[in-house]
Amino acid sequence: MPPCLRRAWWTAALIRATAIDLAVLAGHLLLYPSGLTPERRPAPDGTAPQLPTAGRAHPPVVLLHGFIDNRSVFVLLRRSLARHGWRHLESLNYSPLTVDVRVAAELLGRHVEEICARTGHGEVDIVGHSLGGLIARYYVQRLGGDLRVRTLVTLATPHTGTRSAQLAHAHPIVRQMCPGSDLVEELRGPAPGVRTRFVSFWSDLDTLMIPVETARIDHPDLIVQNVRVTGIGHLAMPVHPAVAAGVRQALTAGEAEVADQDAFSVA
């Protein structure tokens, strides 16, 4: 394709992706109040026997939202998973006042332990959008969460830091999403023996991930599959039906394997 046509195609695709993101934002603003309160969960009962897990196709799935968001962002993805056989779906909220990924990761760990105790499952899967994916990765990679997390799916997560975070670096947790932050460098460190399988969805039109490749995971010690998404932006990742299909595929994959290249693309 000639350079002029390539630029025209790219511009048109970016405009379309931005329009989709704006439409998603408008719809999400309407749903946002519904996700402010935590989900209702059964009261823990220490005397109740653990439920048998034999024959269950899917472990519980924990959905973790991004910065200044809440569980309402996963309404469509949760519905898609439920329609395709997932029975244990948990959407967790963490406070918008949270100032440290490490603290949020510790809280996530406590939630995961509670979910395992309540459902009788020894493992969970996690799907994290944006900052939520970074929190989940820290839990898995640095806090021993790989003993509990079978598969971690991240959607548009700044694994190596995004330059767009520098525009709001006054917030401590946003500073941790900047390239070269102490948290980013900590996650670059050795992680031998981590058993969790990572599947990272990244979009070539994600204007909040600068550069867009920051949403990939490139770590020699981790079992990683990077999935390139085309045609949609940052906000559309948790709601796009093609991404939902990709998430379902990632969660039902049999044996973990390392993918040096993108497994598939969606548009």
Side-chain angles (χ1 to χ4, degrees):
M1 184 183 296
C4 60
L5 292 180
R6 188 181 301 115
R7 285 194 297 270
W9 177 88
W10 184 262
T11 300
L14 183 58
I15 291 173
R16 178 178 178 273
T18 302
I20 293 174
D21 260 4
L22 290 174
V24 170
L25 177 61
H28 187 40
L29 288 175
L30 294 176
L31 289 174
Y32 191 89
S34 68
L36 290 174
T37 56
E39 279 189 332
R40 292 184 178 181
R41 299 185 180 90
D45 183 356
T47 63
Q50 287 199 338
L51 299 174
T53 60
R56 297 186 187 181
H58 307 297
V61 175
V62 181
L63 306 171
L64 197 61
H65 62 81
F67 181 59
I68 60 171
D69 210 338
N70 62 40
R71 61 186 177 85
S72 63
V73 73
F74 290 116
V75 166
L76 295 181
L77 178 58
R78 181 174 184 143
R79 185 178 303 166
S80 173
L81 291 171
R83 281 202 309 263
H84 287 83
W86 275 263
R87 294 292 176 261
H88 295 281
L89 299 167
E90 308 265 352
S91 297
L92 303 182
N93 279 355
Y94 56 91
S95 171
L97 301 179
T98 303
V99 296
D100 193 336
V101 166
R102 299 174 182 88
V103 172
E106 291 174 358
L107 177 63
L108 172 62
R110 292 195 292 272
H111 280 300
V112 169
E113 291 300 322
E114 185 274 328
I115 291 168
C116 289
R118 172 162 42 86
T119 65
H121 282 271
E123 292 181 310
V124 302
D125 292 331
I126 299 179
V127 179
H129 178 231
S130 196
L131 175 59
L134 202 62
I135 292 170
R137 179 179 171 185
Y138 192 91
Y139 163 61
V140 167
Q141 187 176 329
R142 302 295 298 172
L143 300 181
D146 63 312
L147 298 177
R148 287 297 194 190
V149 180
R150 186 188 68 161
T151 301
L152 170 57
V153 177
T154 67
L155 309 175
T157 290
H159 290 288
T160 57
T162 173
R163 292 199 294 270
S164 67
Q166 295 168 344
L167 300 176
H169 69 281
H171 195 294
I173 207 167
V174 175
R175 286 200 297 271
Q176 292 182 323
M177 291 188 283
C178 290
S181 72
D182 59 344
L183 184 104
V184 167
E185 292 305 310
E186 186 177 352
L187 290 175
R188 287 184 190 273
V194 172
R195 301 184 299 180
T196 298
R197 176 173 176 260
F198 295 80
V199 183
S200 177
F201 288 77
W202 66 283
S203 173
D204 55 3
L205 294 177
D206 189 337
T207 56
L208 291 183
M209 297 295 103
I210 305 174
V212 294
E213 291 82 7
T214 189
R216 294 171 52 97
I217 300 177
D218 294 303
H219 195 294
D221 294 335
L222 302 181
I223 303 167
V224 178
Q225 184 179 30
N226 289 302
V227 181
R228 180 173 179 258
V229 178
T230 62
I232 63 174
H234 189 82
L235 299 179
M237 289 288 271
V239 303
H240 198 283
V243 175
V247 170
R248 296 195 308 269
Q249 180 177 336
L251 295 179
T252 54
E255 296 182 358
E257 60 182 14
V258 177
D260 294 327
Q261 298 179 346
D262 301 319
F264 55 89
S265 298
V266 298

